[in-house]
Amino acid sequence: MYGNTGKIIVVDLTTGKIEIASLPETDYLSYIGGSGLAARYFWERGNFQADPLSAEAMLIFMNGPFAGLKLSGASRSSVAGRSPLTGNWGDSSCGGYFAPELRYAGFDGIVLTGKAEKPSLLVIEDNAVCIESAEDYWGKGIESVNRSLKDKFGKTWRNLIIGPAGENQVKYALILNEAHHAFGRAGFGAVMGSKNLKAIVVKASTKTMTLADPEAFETLRKELNPRIKEALASDVMRVNGTAANLEGGVYSGDVPIRNFTSNFWQEMAESLTGSTLSEKYLTHGGACAYCTIACKRNVRITEGIFAIPDGPGPEYETIVSLGSLIGSMDLAAVCKAGRICNDLGLDTITTGATIAWAMEAFEKGDITAADTDGISLIWGDMETVIDVLIPAIAARTGKLGRLLADGSAAAARRIGKGSSDYTAHAKGLEVPAHDPRGGGHGLALTYAISPRGACHVAFPMLFMEMGACYYPEIGFEYELEPKTDENKAEAAVIAVALGSIENSACFCQFADREITIPEWVALFNTVAGYGWDIDAMMLAGKRVFYLKRLINYRFGRTAADDTLTPRMLEPARDGEPEGIAINLDAMKAAFYRLMEMDPIQGIPTQSALIACGMAEEFEHI
Amino acid sequence: MEYWKNENEPIQAFVKLFEAAMIDDELTSGLKKVNQLILFDYTEDGPNCCFWMDCRGGNLSVGPGKPSEEPDMTMSLSADDAHRSWSNKLNPVMAITRKKIRVKGSAVGLLKLAPKLKKVAEIYAVILKDLGWEDKILK
């Protein structure tokens, strides 16, 4: 096997049994790697009846075939399984430094089941894998545990750590690498916590990889790295981070405000945009392994009640979710709120969206002081958010902490009074910081049909509607107008295949945009020896999407779940998209037809599955 | 060229556009934040088809031809696409992706202007009208 190692670590935390297992090459050829390969593993061996937070639940970390290569954006990895937040298939992608180290140690992934008797630490040093006690770390924040693990094992050991939120099984708890890079979405930090696993550390003594055609890959790498580095978007993000164009987003109506009740807030645009962050608080940039874009931020705030020492700073999603979405344009407060979420181990997107829902519910009187232990929830009150709400959620303390710790959809179900109408999610996963009414109606479609729920990085539709995609080799020559449904179903057909390829390859979507379709094929062939042409590659992407849909079907999900909440479907009240409605039903119907999916069951037809080489999978549904 | 009779016409219109933009209350602060010397290069439509805009150090100036100093950023495209762009009828991201616009140097400053393209287009329509070129206004 080339590129990939074909080996994974399988751990039963109940018994402490550790196995090194091999995966068949056909699985890689069919499902690529990353979340696609994880879906395949889960399909064959996962327990579909298990509660995501039970010992029987399976948690899968999986690299893509390019992890460890000195290629910009290539060394991300996926975590996957059944999401405790949504009950659906979930996967989440992370950059940072864990994936290459695991690859150099000789593994493509880690599969965890069971529950350790005591807080535990999984230690991987080349081929040696063992479980150690993590009792000293339990209850502590991620920053201090990261420092302790570096002290104990050495600075070059890489780690994945959960915070108190994961230990307390907050359903949107995250997993952090090096206390900075997040497996943010879908709550897999809670799954780790439910297994009493505080952290994983890994160290490899060599950095060797066997590639199918190393010379051809090297030629390609030398072509791609400078192109990715010099791309206009890379340059802009290197200087001002992923929030570099937040101002532009405000003017187009893409940036959500006060729980998606507004699409325009002029004063906020300049207060929260990336250049303001750079001018006021940036100490230095940062990058994931081998990345030349370097969009990461490190910030310090020296004075005021939101002062924080030099450390990880917020990305676009955090800035909006903990800023405009909850009615704040105080960038210092956003930085501190993001830092605390990181340390406690909370996904900032769902945290912000859940607090935003609660603030609106309090304003409407659907939540009262009796539900909040007397705490007032006021738009933009960042002191309460930072000092009271975020710690209460992470600890699951008080009425409010317990109410909000399961996410906005569950909280609204508990409160009732029509409050579900103003949640913002798809399949239980909160909508990220791109409002499809302004960002693009195709994004609404892909939020709705995405197996994991509302996600802007599952598929590149956001980039397609922005105009950043042009792939004539696979028929993507559309000049999409964001605020219409024209050609969106057709574009989504390409987006789901391409997004599935990108996420299974564990590639950064910012770097991806500079890679042509023939170059994608060449990467897979020179690194992993897949022997693909364009059609074979696109078919693999489609297959991954189909398989995740089948998994959701076995969890009881159908096409009826492919929707957005009423709040997301009401026309925008102001800004550029004011008054424009999203025609989701028409886009969905066209998408199902083009994808050969049953419009009731929401899964591919038998003939579509057979055409993808998935006849066997059809037998299981 | 689809919209212009010669290479002087677009430059005349664009320089007047930015002379007006530079005294517009809404656009002045955004232009100052660009803080770069920019060359707009349309020389694919004629050797003198270009203009410069200097937004450095809090001062704003614009002129035809090439600047006397090395620009911080050069944006190359056709004069027709520039007309579409200032009329807010060209998606700049799409144009860059499809190589209709080529950028040399950092575009960090220019992002400050992107949200204001709607306002730029309003002024541009007035300029075209003043020049007696109403027929060039894109609906």
Side-chain angles (χ1 to χ4, degrees):
Chain A
M1 200 175 283
Y2 298 107
N4 303 295
T5 68
K7 289 194 294 180
I8 58 170
I9 300 164
V10 182
V11 182
D12 182 336
L13 287 157
T14 303
T15 63
K17 187 180 175 189
I18 297 169
E19 288 181 293
I20 308 300
S22 296
L23 296 179
E25 193 162 9
T26 49
D27 282 0
Y28 290 86
L29 282 168
S30 297
Y31 295 98
I32 307 169
S35 68
L37 194 60
R40 172 65 179 175
Y41 193 91
F42 189 91
W43 178 261
E44 286 198 322
R45 300 171 183 85
N47 182 337
F48 282 79
Q49 277 70 50
D51 181 287
L53 297 177
S54 68
E56 292 73 29
M58 181 180 277
L59 181 64
I60 307 170
F61 295 90
M62 201 67 83
N63 280 352
F66 308 130
L69 295 170
K70 291 179 180 174
L71 177 62
S72 281
S75 282
R76 297 178 68 84
S77 61
S78 290
V79 65
R82 189 173 195 182
S83 162
L85 179 64
T86 69
N88 303 319
W89 171 257
D91 50 55
S92 184
S93 168
C94 177
Y97 294 85
F98 190 84
E101 201 68 27
L102 183 67
R103 171 64 191 77
Y104 299 145
F107 303 104
D108 293 334
I110 304 165
V111 176
L112 303 164
T113 55
K115 179 180 180 181
E117 195 177 336
K118 293 178 179 174
S120 298
L121 172 68
L122 185 68
V123 181
I124 305 163
E125 187 171 16
D126 293 323
N127 272 317
V129 185
C130 66
I131 300 168
E132 293 185 8
S133 170
E135 286 181 281
D136 290 347
Y137 310 125
W138 202 255
K140 293 182 178 168
I142 290 177
E143 284 183 29
S144 76
V145 175
N146 179 52
R147 283 194 299 272
S148 298
L149 292 175
K150 297 286 184 190
D151 288 344
K152 178 180 165 97
F153 291 96
K155 285 187 176 173
T156 57
W157 282 66
R158 301 305 185 182
N159 62 52
L160 299 176
I161 306 171
I162 62 165
E167 297 169 17
N168 296 322
Q169 298 176 32
V170 174
K171 290 189 176 175
Y172 44 97
L174 55 65
I175 303 166
L176 278 193
N177 165 240
E178 314 298 298
H180 195 159
H181 311 273
F183 287 110
R185 306 231 65 196
F188 290 109
V191 180
M192 252 176 90
S194 75
K195 297 185 177 307
N196 266 339
L197 186 65
K198 179 69 178 179
I200 303 173
V201 293
V202 61
K203 176 65 184 166
S205 56
T206 65
K207 292 191 174 183
T208 55
M209 290 179 68
T210 307
L211 307 188
D213 188 342
E215 285 180 14
F217 168 73
E218 187 59 12
T219 302
L220 190 55
R221 189 184 74 84
K222 286 180 174 169
E223 168 81 22
L224 290 176
N225 269 350
R227 191 194 307 159
I228 291 168
K229 183 180 180 182
E230 289 157 19
L232 190 145
S234 304
D235 176 51
V236 164
M237 285 191 290
R238 195 174 305 117
V239 176
N240 286 328
T242 54
N245 194 34
L246 186 147
E247 236 175 325
V250 170
Y251 280 84
S252 69
D254 176 54
V255 179
I257 295 154
R258 294 187 197 90
N259 197 32
F260 294 86
T261 57
S262 170
N263 291 68
F264 187 65
W265 185 3
Q266 189 170 2
E267 299 80 10
M268 173 272 291
E270 194 172 340
S271 299
L272 295 185
T273 199
S275 58
T276 304
L277 185 71
S278 299
E279 286 158 17
K280 294 176 85 169
Y281 305 125
L282 183 74
T283 57
H284 58 287
C288 298
Y290 307 122
C291 184
T292 57
I293 299 177
C295 65
K296 294 285 178 178
R297 308 284 88 184
N298 287 278
V299 298
R300 176 176 54 224
I301 297 168
T302 53
E303 50 191 33
I305 56 172
F306 302 123
I308 47 173
D310 192 9
E315 299 186 28
Y316 169 81
E317 290 291 330
T318 297
I319 290 173
V320 174
S321 300
L322 297 174
S324 63
L325 194 66
I326 56 176
S328 174
M329 57 178 202
D330 186 330
L331 190 53
V334 169
C335 290
K336 185 166 183 181
R339 184 76 65 83
I340 291 172
C341 281
N342 267 11
D343 192 45
L344 296 176
L346 289 167
D347 170 25
T348 54
I349 298 176
T350 290
T351 301
T354 303
I355 291 173
W357 167 84
M359 286 177 166
E360 184 171 348
F362 193 84
E363 186 180 60
K364 288 178 186 299
D366 292 339
I367 290 177
T368 67
D371 302 305
T372 66
D373 302 314
I375 300 161
S376 294
L377 302 177
I378 309 296
W379 296 115
D381 177 3
M382 292 303 285
E383 285 183 68
T384 298
V385 168
I386 290 168
D387 297 336
V388 180
L389 282 178
I390 293 173
I393 290 169
R396 281 186 175 274
T397 51
K399 286 181 182 174
L400 196 53
R402 290 193 295 275
L403 175 69
L404 302 183
D406 290 342
S408 61
R413 279 196 300 273
R414 264 176 244 166
I415 291 297
K417 304 174 188 174
S419 63
S420 289
D421 286 355
Y422 53 87
T423 55
H425 67 86
K427 298 188 186 75
L429 188 68
E430 283 76 6
V431 173
H434 294 283
D435 187 330
R437 294 170 295 183
H441 293 195
L443 194 59
L445 172 62
T446 52
Y447 281 172
I449 56 89
S450 166
R452 82 170 188 174
C455 174
H456 62 298
V457 289
F459 317 116
M461 182 56 87
L462 181 67
F463 294 104
M464 288 176 166
E465 294 191 290
M466 201 183 285
C469 296
Y470 182 62
Y471 303 119
E473 301 89 350
I474 53 173
F476 190 88
E477 297 178 89
Y478 301 108
E479 296 188 4
L480 299 176
E481 169 54 45
K483 294 172 187 67
T484 73
D485 61 0
E486 192 180 351
N487 289 323
K488 298 301 168 64
E490 290 81 356
V493 169
I494 297 171
V496 297
L498 199 54
S500 298
I501 292 164
E502 292 168 344
N503 280 305
S504 300
C506 299
F507 226 99
C508 168
Q509 293 216 344
F510 295 131
D512 284 353
R513 301 279 74 81
E514 301 305 318
I515 303 174
T516 67
I517 297 299
E519 286 168 342
W520 267 110
V521 174
L523 278 175
F524 283 116
N525 292 343
T526 58
V527 172
Y530 286 174
W532 281 345
D533 57 16
I534 290 174
D535 290 344
M537 182 181 78
M538 295 304 290
L539 190 65
K542 191 176 185 181
R543 197 181 290 122
V544 168
F545 177 73
Y546 276 175
L547 184 63
K548 291 179 184 176
R549 296 288 308 196
L550 291 176
I551 291 172
N552 268 355
Y553 186 70
R554 287 178 69 179
F555 287 144
R557 305 294 176 264
T558 67
D561 296 296
D562 289 345
T563 192
L564 296 172
T565 52
R567 166 58 49 83
M568 299 312 301
L569 293 172
E570 69 181 47
R573 301 173 190 187
D574 56 14
E576 204 176 279
E578 182 179 353
I580 304 173
I582 293 175
N583 195 353
L584 182 62
D585 287 343
M587 290 190 289
K588 262 172 54 181
F591 176 77
Y592 292 145
R593 180 172 46 76
L594 292 165
M595 286 295 291
E596 297 179 76
M597 290 167 62
D598 184 289
I600 305 296
Q601 294 177 304
I603 55 172
T605 61
Q606 184 176 12
S607 60
L609 287 171
I610 290 169
C612 279
M614 299 174 75
E616 188 190 335
E617 281 79 356
F618 185 79
E619 299 303 318
H620 288 86
I621 56 172
Chain B
M1 289 187 285
E2 184 181 343
Y3 301 110
W4 312 106
K5 287 178 186 162
N6 56 56
E7 63 173 321
N8 297 324
E9 276 192 357
I11 301 308
Q12 188 184 354
F14 300 158
V15 169
K16 279 192 179 296
L17 162 63
F18 279 96
E19 283 172 347
M22 284 169 180
I23 54 170
D24 180 88
D25 287 345
E26 191 181 331
L27 292 178
T28 304
S29 63
L31 284 167
K32 285 180 179 171
K33 284 177 188 160
V34 172
N35 200 28
Q36 287 179 315
L37 174 61
I38 301 173
L39 169 62
F40 292 97
D41 173 8
Y42 317 121
T43 51
E44 63 187 81
D45 291 316
N48 299 309
C49 198
C50 56
F51 78 99
W52 54 268
M53 183 166 72
D54 193 349
C55 305
R56 296 173 298 180
N59 299 308
L60 300 173
S61 55
V62 61
K66 290 180 180 166
S68 54
E69 300 171 64
E70 189 66 22
D72 301 304
M73 192 197 84
T74 301
M75 184 175 273
S76 304
L77 62 160
S78 73
D80 281 340
D81 278 335
H83 177 60
R84 293 185 189 99
S85 174
W86 302 132
S87 304
N88 203 21
K89 299 290 182 190
L90 183 78
N91 176 337
V93 177
M94 195 180 293
I96 290 166
T97 302
R98 297 174 191 221
K99 318 288 186 207
K100 286 183 174 179
I101 296 177
R102 283 121 11 234
V103 177
K104 187 180 161 196
S106 174
V108 171
L110 208 62
L111 261 190
K112 289 283 175 193
L113 197 57
K116 309 287 186 186
L117 277 176
K118 207 170 172 180
K119 178 67 179 176
V120 170
E122 286 173 19
I123 296 173
Y124 187 47
V126 174
I127 296 295
L128 291 174
K129 195 174 173 186
D130 289 349
L131 288 166
W133 292 342
E134 270 186 282
D135 58 316
K136 295 187 199 295
I137 296 173
L138 301 179
K139 304 294 182 191

